[in-house]
mmCIF file with all atom_site columns, all heavy atoms in Angstrom:
data_model
loop_
_atom_site.group_PDB
_atom_site.id
_atom_site.type_symbol
_atom_site.label_atom_id
_atom_site.label_alt_id
_atom_site.label_comp_id
_atom_site.label_asym_id
_atom_site.label_entity_id
_atom_site.label_seq_id
_atom_site.pdbx_PDB_ins_code
_atom_site.Cartn_x
_atom_site.Cartn_y
_atom_site.Cartn_z
_atom_site.occupancy
_atom_site.B_iso_or_equiv
_atom_site.pdbx_formal_charge
_atom_site.auth_seq_id
_atom_site.auth_comp_id
_atom_site.auth_asym_id
_atom_site.auth_atom_id
_atom_site.pdbx_PDB_model_num
ATOM 1   N N   . SER A 1 1  ? -1.723 0.244   4.542   1.00 95.00 ? 24 SER A N   1
ATOM 2   C CA  . SER A 1 1  ? -0.827 1.402   4.566   1.00 95.00 ? 24 SER A CA  1
ATOM 3   C C   . SER A 1 1  ? 0.622  0.964   4.395   1.00 95.00 ? 24 SER A C   1
ATOM 4   O O   . SER A 1 1  ? 1.520  1.803   4.378   1.00 95.00 ? 24 SER A O   1
ATOM 5   C CB  . SER A 1 1  ? -0.969 2.145   5.905   1.00 95.00 ? 24 SER A CB  1
ATOM 6   O OG  . SER A 1 1  ? -0.541 1.308   6.985   1.00 95.00 ? 24 SER A OG  1
ATOM 7   N N   . ARG A 1 2  ? 0.862  -0.348  4.275   1.00 95.00 ? 25 ARG A N   1
ATOM 8   C CA  . ARG A 1 2  ? 2.215  -0.904  4.251   1.00 95.00 ? 25 ARG A CA  1
ATOM 9   C C   . ARG A 1 2  ? 2.671  -1.184  2.821   1.00 95.00 ? 25 ARG A C   1
ATOM 10  O O   . ARG A 1 2  ? 2.022  -1.937  2.080   1.00 95.00 ? 25 ARG A O   1
ATOM 11  C CB  . ARG A 1 2  ? 2.261  -2.206  5.038   1.00 95.00 ? 25 ARG A CB  1
ATOM 12  C CG  . ARG A 1 2  ? 1.954  -2.058  6.514   1.00 95.00 ? 25 ARG A CG  1
ATOM 13  C CD  . ARG A 1 2  ? 3.163  -1.575  7.271   1.00 95.00 ? 25 ARG A CD  1
ATOM 14  N NE  . ARG A 1 2  ? 2.912  -1.575  8.717   1.00 95.00 ? 25 ARG A NE  1
ATOM 15  C CZ  . ARG A 1 2  ? 3.838  -1.346  9.622   1.00 95.00 ? 25 ARG A CZ  1
ATOM 16  N NH1 . ARG A 1 2  ? 5.082  -1.119  9.240   1.00 95.00 ? 25 ARG A NH1 1
ATOM 17  N NH2 . ARG A 1 2  ? 3.542  -1.333  10.913  1.00 95.00 ? 25 ARG A NH2 1
ATOM 18  N N   . LEU A 1 3  ? 3.823  -0.623  2.456   1.00 94.00 ? 26 LEU A N   1
ATOM 19  C CA  . LEU A 1 3  ? 4.355  -0.848  1.111   1.00 94.00 ? 26 LEU A CA  1
ATOM 20  C C   . LEU A 1 3  ? 4.687  -2.325  0.905   1.00 94.00 ? 26 LEU A C   1
ATOM 21  O O   . LEU A 1 3  ? 4.466  -2.869  -0.175  1.00 94.00 ? 26 LEU A O   1
ATOM 22  C CB  . LEU A 1 3  ? 5.602  0.010   0.887   1.00 94.00 ? 26 LEU A CB  1
ATOM 23  C CG  . LEU A 1 3  ? 6.142  0.045   -0.549  1.00 94.00 ? 26 LEU A CG  1
ATOM 24  C CD1 . LEU A 1 3  ? 5.120  0.658   -1.494  1.00 94.00 ? 26 LEU A CD1 1
ATOM 25  C CD2 . LEU A 1 3  ? 7.450  0.819   -0.614  1.00 94.00 ? 26 LEU A CD2 1
ATOM 26  N N   . HIS A 1 4  ? 5.222  -2.974  1.957   1.00 95.00 ? 27 HIS A N   1
ATOM 27  C CA  . HIS A 1 4  ? 5.595  -4.378  1.802   1.00 95.00 ? 27 HIS A CA  1
ATOM 28  C C   . HIS A 1 4  ? 4.420  -5.323  2.041   1.00 95.00 ? 27 HIS A C   1
ATOM 29  O O   . HIS A 1 4  ? 4.609  -6.532  2.180   1.00 95.00 ? 27 HIS A O   1
ATOM 30  C CB  . HIS A 1 4  ? 6.780  -4.727  2.712   1.00 95.00 ? 27 HIS A CB  1
ATOM 31  C CG  . HIS A 1 4  ? 8.065  -4.264  2.135   1.00 95.00 ? 27 HIS A CG  1
ATOM 32  N ND1 . HIS A 1 4  ? 8.710  -3.133  2.587   1.00 95.00 ? 27 HIS A ND1 1
ATOM 33  C CD2 . HIS A 1 4  ? 8.819  -4.751  1.115   1.00 95.00 ? 27 HIS A CD2 1
ATOM 34  C CE1 . HIS A 1 4  ? 9.800  -2.948  1.886   1.00 95.00 ? 27 HIS A CE1 1
ATOM 35  N NE2 . HIS A 1 4  ? 9.889  -3.895  0.984   1.00 95.00 ? 27 HIS A NE2 1
ATOM 36  N N   . CYS A 1 5  ? 3.238  -4.776  2.044   1.00 97.00 ? 28 CYS A N   1
ATOM 37  C CA  . CYS A 1 5  ? 2.011  -5.537  1.867   1.00 97.00 ? 28 CYS A CA  1
ATOM 38  C C   . CYS A 1 5  ? 1.490  -5.271  0.459   1.00 97.00 ? 28 CYS A C   1
ATOM 39  O O   . CYS A 1 5  ? 1.081  -6.196  -0.242  1.00 97.00 ? 28 CYS A O   1
ATOM 40  C CB  . CYS A 1 5  ? 0.979  -5.149  2.915   1.00 97.00 ? 28 CYS A CB  1
ATOM 41  S SG  . CYS A 1 5  ? -0.637 -5.881  2.670   1.00 97.00 ? 28 CYS A SG  1
ATOM 42  N N   . ALA A 1 6  ? 1.514  -4.002  0.040   1.00 97.00 ? 29 ALA A N   1
ATOM 43  C CA  . ALA A 1 6  ? 0.982  -3.618  -1.272  1.00 97.00 ? 29 ALA A CA  1
ATOM 44  C C   . ALA A 1 6  ? 1.780  -4.239  -2.419  1.00 97.00 ? 29 ALA A C   1
ATOM 45  O O   . ALA A 1 6  ? 1.200  -4.748  -3.392  1.00 97.00 ? 29 ALA A O   1
ATOM 46  C CB  . ALA A 1 6  ? 0.975  -2.097  -1.398  1.00 97.00 ? 29 ALA A CB  1
ATOM 47  N N   . LEU A 1 7  ? 3.118  -4.195  -2.340  1.00 97.00 ? 30 LEU A N   1
ATOM 48  C CA  . LEU A 1 7  ? 3.932  -4.717  -3.451  1.00 97.00 ? 30 LEU A CA  1
ATOM 49  C C   . LEU A 1 7  ? 3.801  -6.227  -3.613  1.00 97.00 ? 30 LEU A C   1
ATOM 50  O O   . LEU A 1 7  ? 3.686  -6.716  -4.745  1.00 97.00 ? 30 LEU A O   1
ATOM 51  C CB  . LEU A 1 7  ? 5.390  -4.301  -3.274  1.00 97.00 ? 30 LEU A CB  1
ATOM 52  C CG  . LEU A 1 7  ? 5.658  -2.783  -3.291  1.00 97.00 ? 30 LEU A CG  1
ATOM 53  C CD1 . LEU A 1 7  ? 7.157  -2.500  -3.245  1.00 97.00 ? 30 LEU A CD1 1
ATOM 54  C CD2 . LEU A 1 7  ? 5.031  -2.123  -4.520  1.00 97.00 ? 30 LEU A CD2 1
ATOM 55  N N   . PRO A 1 8  ? 3.807  -7.004  -2.528  1.00 97.00 ? 31 PRO A N   1
ATOM 56  C CA  . PRO A 1 8  ? 3.516  -8.429  -2.703  1.00 97.00 ? 31 PRO A CA  1
ATOM 57  C C   . PRO A 1 8  ? 2.153  -8.695  -3.340  1.00 97.00 ? 31 PRO A C   1
ATOM 58  O O   . PRO A 1 8  ? 1.991  -9.676  -4.069  1.00 97.00 ? 31 PRO A O   1
ATOM 59  C CB  . PRO A 1 8  ? 3.569  -8.972  -1.276  1.00 97.00 ? 31 PRO A CB  1
ATOM 60  C CG  . PRO A 1 8  ? 4.565  -8.095  -0.594  1.00 97.00 ? 31 PRO A CG  1
ATOM 61  C CD  . PRO A 1 8  ? 4.287  -6.721  -1.152  1.00 97.00 ? 31 PRO A CD  1
ATOM 62  N N   . CYS A 1 9  ? 1.176  -7.817  -3.075  1.00 98.00 ? 32 CYS A N   1
ATOM 63  C CA  . CYS A 1 9  ? -0.132 -7.981  -3.717  1.00 98.00 ? 32 CYS A CA  1
ATOM 64  C C   . CYS A 1 9  ? -0.018 -7.812  -5.233  1.00 98.00 ? 32 CYS A C   1
ATOM 65  O O   . CYS A 1 9  ? -0.700 -8.507  -5.996  1.00 98.00 ? 32 CYS A O   1
ATOM 66  C CB  . CYS A 1 9  ? -1.137 -6.978  -3.158  1.00 98.00 ? 32 CYS A CB  1
ATOM 67  S SG  . CYS A 1 9  ? -1.687 -7.362  -1.477  1.00 98.00 ? 32 CYS A SG  1
ATOM 68  N N   . LEU A 1 10 ? 0.855  -6.903  -5.682  1.00 98.00 ? 33 LEU A N   1
ATOM 69  C CA  . LEU A 1 10 ? 1.092  -6.772  -7.121  1.00 98.00 ? 33 LEU A CA  1
ATOM 70  C C   . LEU A 1 10 ? 1.629  -8.075  -7.679  1.00 98.00 ? 33 LEU A C   1
ATOM 71  O O   . LEU A 1 10 ? 1.201  -8.545  -8.736  1.00 98.00 ? 33 LEU A O   1
ATOM 72  C CB  . LEU A 1 10 ? 2.082  -5.636  -7.399  1.00 98.00 ? 33 LEU A CB  1
ATOM 73  C CG  . LEU A 1 10 ? 1.628  -4.204  -7.112  1.00 98.00 ? 33 LEU A CG  1
ATOM 74  C CD1 . LEU A 1 10 ? 2.731  -3.224  -7.495  1.00 98.00 ? 33 LEU A CD1 1
ATOM 75  C CD2 . LEU A 1 10 ? 0.353  -3.866  -7.879  1.00 98.00 ? 33 LEU A CD2 1
ATOM 76  N N   . SER A 1 11 ? 2.575  -8.666  -6.960  1.00 97.00 ? 34 SER A N   1
ATOM 77  C CA  . SER A 1 11 ? 3.170  -9.919  -7.443  1.00 97.00 ? 34 SER A CA  1
ATOM 78  C C   . SER A 1 11 ? 2.143  -11.050 -7.494  1.00 97.00 ? 34 SER A C   1
ATOM 79  O O   . SER A 1 11 ? 2.296  -11.985 -8.281  1.00 97.00 ? 34 SER A O   1
ATOM 80  C CB  . SER A 1 11 ? 4.346  -10.329 -6.539  1.00 97.00 ? 34 SER A CB  1
ATOM 81  O OG  . SER A 1 11 ? 3.899  -10.844 -5.302  1.00 97.00 ? 34 SER A OG  1
ATOM 82  N N   . GLN A 1 12 ? 1.106  -10.959 -6.661  1.00 97.00 ? 35 GLN A N   1
ATOM 83  C CA  . GLN A 1 12 ? 0.068  -11.996 -6.610  1.00 97.00 ? 35 GLN A CA  1
ATOM 84  C C   . GLN A 1 12 ? -1.148 -11.655 -7.459  1.00 97.00 ? 35 GLN A C   1
ATOM 85  O O   . GLN A 1 12 ? -2.115 -12.410 -7.499  1.00 97.00 ? 35 GLN A O   1
ATOM 86  C CB  . GLN A 1 12 ? -0.375 -12.216 -5.158  1.00 97.00 ? 35 GLN A CB  1
ATOM 87  C CG  . GLN A 1 12 ? 0.742  -12.567 -4.209  1.00 97.00 ? 35 GLN A CG  1
ATOM 88  C CD  . GLN A 1 12 ? 1.529  -13.783 -4.656  1.00 97.00 ? 35 GLN A CD  1
ATOM 89  O OE1 . GLN A 1 12 ? 0.963  -14.849 -4.888  1.00 97.00 ? 35 GLN A OE1 1
ATOM 90  N NE2 . GLN A 1 12 ? 2.852  -13.631 -4.790  1.00 97.00 ? 35 GLN A NE2 1
ATOM 91  N N   . LYS A 1 13 ? -1.105 -10.487 -8.110  1.00 96.00 ? 36 LYS A N   1
ATOM 92  C CA  . LYS A 1 13 ? -2.223 -10.007 -8.936  1.00 96.00 ? 36 LYS A CA  1
ATOM 93  C C   . LYS A 1 13 ? -3.515 -9.869  -8.113  1.00 96.00 ? 36 LYS A C   1
ATOM 94  O O   . LYS A 1 13 ? -4.629 -10.083 -8.607  1.00 96.00 ? 36 LYS A O   1
ATOM 95  C CB  . LYS A 1 13 ? -2.447 -10.914 -10.148 1.00 96.00 ? 36 LYS A CB  1
ATOM 96  C CG  . LYS A 1 13 ? -1.237 -11.021 -11.073 1.00 96.00 ? 36 LYS A CG  1
ATOM 97  C CD  . LYS A 1 13 ? -1.555 -11.805 -12.314 1.00 96.00 ? 36 LYS A CD  1
ATOM 98  C CE  . LYS A 1 13 ? -0.329 -11.984 -13.192 1.00 96.00 ? 36 LYS A CE  1
ATOM 99  N NZ  . LYS A 1 13 ? 0.286  -10.714 -13.620 1.00 96.00 ? 36 LYS A NZ  1
ATOM 100 N N   . THR A 1 14 ? -3.352 -9.502  -6.849  1.00 97.00 ? 37 THR A N   1
ATOM 101 C CA  . THR A 1 14 ? -4.488 -9.255  -5.966  1.00 97.00 ? 37 THR A CA  1
ATOM 102 C C   . THR A 1 14 ? -4.800 -7.767  -5.952  1.00 97.00 ? 37 THR A C   1
ATOM 103 O O   . THR A 1 14 ? -3.904 -6.954  -5.699  1.00 97.00 ? 37 THR A O   1
ATOM 104 C CB  . THR A 1 14 ? -4.167 -9.710  -4.529  1.00 97.00 ? 37 THR A CB  1
ATOM 105 O OG1 . THR A 1 14 ? -3.886 -11.104 -4.524  1.00 97.00 ? 37 THR A OG1 1
ATOM 106 C CG2 . THR A 1 14 ? -5.335 -9.427  -3.599  1.00 97.00 ? 37 THR A CG2 1
ATOM 107 N N   . PRO A 1 15 ? -6.027 -7.363  -6.235  1.00 97.00 ? 38 PRO A N   1
ATOM 108 C CA  . PRO A 1 15 ? -6.367 -5.936  -6.181  1.00 97.00 ? 38 PRO A CA  1
ATOM 109 C C   . PRO A 1 15 ? -5.985 -5.332  -4.836  1.00 97.00 ? 38 PRO A C   1
ATOM 110 O O   . PRO A 1 15 ? -6.297 -5.897  -3.783  1.00 97.00 ? 38 PRO A O   1
ATOM 111 C CB  . PRO A 1 15 ? -7.882 -5.927  -6.385  1.00 97.00 ? 38 PRO A CB  1
ATOM 112 C CG  . PRO A 1 15 ? -8.161 -7.179  -7.152  1.00 97.00 ? 38 PRO A CG  1
ATOM 113 C CD  . PRO A 1 15 ? -7.188 -8.193  -6.622  1.00 97.00 ? 38 PRO A CD  1
ATOM 114 N N   . VAL A 1 16 ? -5.301 -4.183  -4.872  1.00 98.00 ? 39 VAL A N   1
ATOM 115 C CA  . VAL A 1 16 ? -4.815 -3.596  -3.629  1.00 98.00 ? 39 VAL A CA  1
ATOM 116 C C   . VAL A 1 16 ? -4.995 -2.088  -3.650  1.00 98.00 ? 39 VAL A C   1
ATOM 117 O O   . VAL A 1 16 ? -4.822 -1.440  -4.694  1.00 98.00 ? 39 VAL A O   1
ATOM 118 C CB  . VAL A 1 16 ? -3.331 -3.961  -3.380  1.00 98.00 ? 39 VAL A CB  1
ATOM 119 C CG1 . VAL A 1 16 ? -2.426 -3.498  -4.515  1.00 98.00 ? 39 VAL A CG1 1
ATOM 120 C CG2 . VAL A 1 16 ? -2.851 -3.435  -2.041  1.00 98.00 ? 39 VAL A CG2 1
ATOM 121 N N   . LEU A 1 17 ? -5.360 -1.544  -2.505  1.00 98.00 ? 40 LEU A N   1
ATOM 122 C CA  . LEU A 1 17 ? -5.496 -0.098  -2.322  1.00 98.00 ? 40 LEU A CA  1
ATOM 123 C C   . LEU A 1 17 ? -4.520 0.330   -1.237  1.00 98.00 ? 40 LEU A C   1
ATOM 124 O O   . LEU A 1 17 ? -4.593 -0.143  -0.095  1.00 98.00 ? 40 LEU A O   1
ATOM 125 C CB  . LEU A 1 17 ? -6.929 0.253   -1.910  1.00 98.00 ? 40 LEU A CB  1
ATOM 126 C CG  . LEU A 1 17 ? -7.198 1.737   -1.596  1.00 98.00 ? 40 LEU A CG  1
ATOM 127 C CD1 . LEU A 1 17 ? -6.996 2.605   -2.834  1.00 98.00 ? 40 LEU A CD1 1
ATOM 128 C CD2 . LEU A 1 17 ? -8.614 1.920   -1.035  1.00 98.00 ? 40 LEU A CD2 1
ATOM 129 N N   . LEU A 1 18 ? -3.597 1.224   -1.580  1.00 97.00 ? 41 LEU A N   1
ATOM 130 C CA  . LEU A 1 18 ? -2.631 1.756   -0.622  1.00 97.00 ? 41 LEU A CA  1
ATOM 131 C C   . LEU A 1 18 ? -3.209 3.017   0.009   1.00 97.00 ? 41 LEU A C   1
ATOM 132 O O   . LEU A 1 18 ? -3.563 3.967   -0.697  1.00 97.00 ? 41 LEU A O   1
ATOM 133 C CB  . LEU A 1 18 ? -1.312 2.069   -1.323  1.00 97.00 ? 41 LEU A CB  1
ATOM 134 C CG  . LEU A 1 18 ? -0.186 2.638   -0.452  1.00 97.00 ? 41 LEU A CG  1
ATOM 135 C CD1 . LEU A 1 18 ? 0.259  1.623   0.595   1.00 97.00 ? 41 LEU A CD1 1
ATOM 136 C CD2 . LEU A 1 18 ? 1.004  3.064   -1.314  1.00 97.00 ? 41 LEU A CD2 1
ATOM 137 N N   . VAL A 1 19 ? -3.299 3.038   1.325   1.00 95.00 ? 42 VAL A N   1
ATOM 138 C CA  . VAL A 1 19 ? -3.889 4.151   2.062   1.00 95.00 ? 42 VAL A CA  1
ATOM 139 C C   . VAL A 1 19 ? -2.779 4.921   2.763   1.00 95.00 ? 42 VAL A C   1
ATOM 140 O O   . VAL A 1 19 ? -2.034 4.364   3.575   1.00 95.00 ? 42 VAL A O   1
ATOM 141 C CB  . VAL A 1 19 ? -4.911 3.649   3.100   1.00 95.00 ? 42 VAL A CB  1
ATOM 142 C CG1 . VAL A 1 19 ? -5.531 4.834   3.837   1.00 95.00 ? 42 VAL A CG1 1
ATOM 143 C CG2 . VAL A 1 19 ? -5.994 2.810   2.424   1.00 95.00 ? 42 VAL A CG2 1
ATOM 144 N N   . LEU A 1 20 ? -2.666 6.205   2.462   1.00 92.00 ? 43 LEU A N   1
ATOM 145 C CA  . LEU A 1 20 ? -1.592 7.030   3.004   1.00 92.00 ? 43 LEU A CA  1
ATOM 146 C C   . LEU A 1 20 ? -2.122 8.109   3.948   1.00 92.00 ? 43 LEU A C   1
ATOM 147 O O   . LEU A 1 20 ? -3.252 8.589   3.772   1.00 92.00 ? 43 LEU A O   1
ATOM 148 C CB  . LEU A 1 20 ? -0.839 7.722   1.860   1.00 92.00 ? 43 LEU A CB  1
ATOM 149 C CG  . LEU A 1 20 ? -0.249 6.820   0.781   1.00 92.00 ? 43 LEU A CG  1
ATOM 150 C CD1 . LEU A 1 20 ? 0.305  7.667   -0.356  1.00 92.00 ? 43 LEU A CD1 1
ATOM 151 C CD2 . LEU A 1 20 ? 0.833  5.936   1.366   1.00 92.00 ? 43 LEU A CD2 1
ATOM 152 N N   . PRO A 1 21 ? -1.328 8.503   4.932   1.00 88.00 ? 44 PRO A N   1
ATOM 153 C CA  . PRO A 1 21 ? -1.694 9.652   5.761   1.00 88.00 ? 44 PRO A CA  1
ATOM 154 C C   . PRO A 1 21 ? -1.488 10.948  4.969   1.00 88.00 ? 44 PRO A C   1
ATOM 155 O O   . PRO A 1 21 ? -0.666 10.994  4.048   1.00 88.00 ? 44 PRO A O   1
ATOM 156 C CB  . PRO A 1 21 ? -0.730 9.564   6.945   1.00 88.00 ? 44 PRO A CB  1
ATOM 157 C CG  . PRO A 1 21 ? 0.450  8.845   6.396   1.00 88.00 ? 44 PRO A CG  1
ATOM 158 C CD  . PRO A 1 21 ? -0.074 7.872   5.379   1.00 88.00 ? 44 PRO A CD  1
ATOM 159 N N   . ARG A 1 22 ? -2.216 11.953  5.318   1.00 80.00 ? 45 ARG A N   1
ATOM 160 C CA  . ARG A 1 22 ? -2.161 13.233  4.591   1.00 80.00 ? 45 ARG A CA  1
ATOM 161 C C   . ARG A 1 22 ? -1.194 14.209  5.275   1.00 80.00 ? 45 ARG A C   1
ATOM 162 O O   . ARG A 1 22 ? -0.955 14.126  6.469   1.00 80.00 ? 45 ARG A O   1
ATOM 163 C CB  . ARG A 1 22 ? -3.555 13.839  4.548   1.00 80.00 ? 45 ARG A CB  1
ATOM 164 C CG  . ARG A 1 22 ? -3.671 15.168  3.840   1.00 80.00 ? 45 ARG A CG  1
ATOM 165 C CD  . ARG A 1 22 ? -3.766 15.001  2.340   1.00 80.00 ? 45 ARG A CD  1
ATOM 166 N NE  . ARG A 1 22 ? -5.082 14.502  1.954   1.00 80.00 ? 45 ARG A NE  1
ATOM 167 C CZ  . ARG A 1 22 ? -5.480 14.370  0.687   1.00 80.00 ? 45 ARG A CZ  1
ATOM 168 N NH1 . ARG A 1 22 ? -4.654 14.687  -0.302  1.00 80.00 ? 45 ARG A NH1 1
ATOM 169 N NH2 . ARG A 1 22 ? -6.680 13.906  0.404   1.00 80.00 ? 45 ARG A NH2 1
ATOM 170 N N   . ASP A 1 23 ? -0.610 15.103  4.469   1.00 70.00 ? 46 ASP A N   1
ATOM 171 C CA  . ASP A 1 23 ? 0.132  16.267  4.971   1.00 70.00 ? 46 ASP A CA  1
ATOM 172 C C   . ASP A 1 23 ? 1.323  15.899  5.847   1.00 70.00 ? 46 ASP A C   1
ATOM 173 O O   . ASP A 1 23 ? 1.527  16.454  6.927   1.00 70.00 ? 46 ASP A O   1
ATOM 174 C CB  . ASP A 1 23 ? -0.805 17.208  5.751   1.00 70.00 ? 46 ASP A CB  1
ATOM 175 C CG  . ASP A 1 23 ? -1.939 17.737  4.876   1.00 70.00 ? 46 ASP A CG  1
ATOM 176 O OD1 . ASP A 1 23 ? -1.701 17.876  3.661   1.00 70.00 ? 46 ASP A OD1 1
ATOM 177 O OD2 . ASP A 1 23 ? -3.013 17.999  5.402   1.00 70.00 ? 46 ASP A OD2 1
ATOM 178 N N   . GLY A 1 24 ? 2.092  14.924  5.391   1.00 61.00 ? 47 GLY A N   1
ATOM 179 C CA  . GLY A 1 24 ? 3.342  14.631  6.076   1.00 61.00 ? 47 GLY A CA  1
ATOM 180 C C   . GLY A 1 24 ? 3.228  13.793  7.315   1.00 61.00 ? 47 GLY A C   1
ATOM 181 O O   . GLY A 1 24 ? 4.227  13.547  7.989   1.00 61.00 ? 47 GLY A O   1
ATOM 182 N N   . ARG A 1 25 ? 2.010  13.355  7.671   1.00 64.00 ? 48 ARG A N   1
ATOM 183 C CA  . ARG A 1 25 ? 1.902  12.465  8.824   1.00 64.00 ? 48 ARG A CA  1
ATOM 184 C C   . ARG A 1 25 ? 2.462  11.099  8.455   1.00 64.00 ? 48 ARG A C   1
ATOM 185 O O   . ARG A 1 25 ? 2.581  10.745  7.305   1.00 64.00 ? 48 ARG A O   1
ATOM 186 C CB  . ARG A 1 25 ? 0.439  12.338  9.251   1.00 64.00 ? 48 ARG A CB  1
ATOM 187 C CG  . ARG A 1 25 ? -0.107 13.610  9.902   1.00 64.00 ? 48 ARG A CG  1
ATOM 188 C CD  . ARG A 1 25 ? -1.552 13.450  10.328  1.00 64.00 ? 48 ARG A CD  1
ATOM 189 N NE  . ARG A 1 25 ? -2.450 13.345  9.186   1.00 64.00 ? 48 ARG A NE  1
ATOM 190 C CZ  . ARG A 1 25 ? -3.170 12.270  8.892   1.00 64.00 ? 48 ARG A CZ  1
ATOM 191 N NH1 . ARG A 1 25 ? -3.098 11.199  9.648   1.00 64.00 ? 48 ARG A NH1 1
ATOM 192 N NH2 . ARG A 1 25 ? -3.964 12.263  7.851   1.00 64.00 ? 48 ARG A NH2 1
ATOM 193 N N   . GLY A 1 26 ? 2.824  10.333  9.459   1.00 57.00 ? 49 GLY A N   1
ATOM 194 C CA  . GLY A 1 26 ? 3.399  9.018   9.205   1.00 57.00 ? 49 GLY A CA  1
ATOM 195 C C   . GLY A 1 26 ? 4.914  9.061   9.303   1.00 57.00 ? 49 GLY A C   1
ATOM 196 O O   . GLY A 1 26 ? 5.489  10.004  9.839   1.00 57.00 ? 49 GLY A O   1
#
């Protein structure tokens, strides 16, 4: 759920799934 986990995964070419809360939660 962390952007600064997901974006480093892009830099490492590691498949990543970003999981978000629904309807304004978070």
Side-chain angles (χ1 to χ4, degrees):
S24 64
R25 297 279 186 172
L26 189 63
H27 281 103
C28 173
L30 298 186
C32 287
L33 292 182
S34 75
Q35 304 304 305
K36 300 186 184 302
T37 299
V39 58
L40 176 64
L41 180 64
V42 181
L43 304 173
R45 180 82 74 174
D46 299 330
R48 289 181 291 115

